Amino acid sequence: EEEFWGEYMGLQKSLQDILQTSNDIAIMSGEGMVALWGAMKSVIQTGDTVLSVVNGLYGDGFAEMAQGLGANMERVEFPWDQAVDNDRVIQAIQRVRPKLVTMVHCETP
C-alpha cells in the first residue's frame, strides 16, 4: 500500500504540473461512465438545465445521470442507427440555453 500511495501522489503531482494547477487532481478508476459521472457532478447543481443529445445507449445514460443529479433535463433524440442532425441540436441549445450539453462522439451501435 505504501508503494501505491507514493506512485499515486507522484502521478497527481505530475498531472498538476502538466495542467499548471495547484488544485487537487482526482484519479479515478472504473469503467468510463464513472469518470463521466464525476465530471458531470463537478459541473452541474440541482436545478441546472442540461441538454442531452441521445442517439444510443451512452447518450441515454448521460441523460439519466444528469436527471439523477437533479438537473432539469431536455433531450434531443435521434434513432440509434442514424447520425445526429446538427441543426436540431443547435436549435435546441438556442431554445433551452442549457448550462451543459452532453453528446457522445462515438456511440455504441
Side-chain angles (χ1 to χ4, degrees):
E1 275 189 38
E2 193 172 312
E3 183 179 344
F4 168 81
W5 287 111
E7 294 289 330
Y8 183 93
M9 298 305 287
L11 178 58
Q12 187 178 50
K13 175 67 174 117
S14 294
L15 289 171
Q16 287 172 321
D17 292 344
I18 291 167
L19 297 171
Q20 300 178 356
T21 184
S22 59
N23 294 329
D24 290 337
I25 302 289
I27 302 168
M28 303 176 78
S29 64
E31 61 179 77
M33 293 304 271
V34 170
L36 297 176
W37 182 87
M40 187 178 292
K41 181 113 173 97
S42 297
V43 173
I44 65 169
Q45 298 177 20
T46 300
D48 286 342
T49 300
V50 174
L51 177 77
S52 286
V53 179
V54 178
N55 67 321
L57 182 67
Y58 290 103
D60 187 57
F62 254 145
E64 288 179 4
M65 272 192 265
Q67 189 170 8
L69 291 171
N72 297 319
M73 277 306 308
E74 279 287 326
R75 292 168 163 250
V76 182
E77 299 198 46
F78 299 92
W80 288 21
D81 62 345
Q82 294 180 18
V84 167
D85 178 345
N86 294 334
D87 290 335
R88 279 188 53 205
V89 174
I90 291 167
Q91 289 170 1
I93 291 169
Q94 291 171 337
R95 178 177 47 81
V96 175
R97 310 298 287 175
K99 180 174 184 181
L100 177 69
V101 176
T102 67
M103 175 185 251
V104 177
H105 171 69
C106 186
E107 185 59 84
T108 299

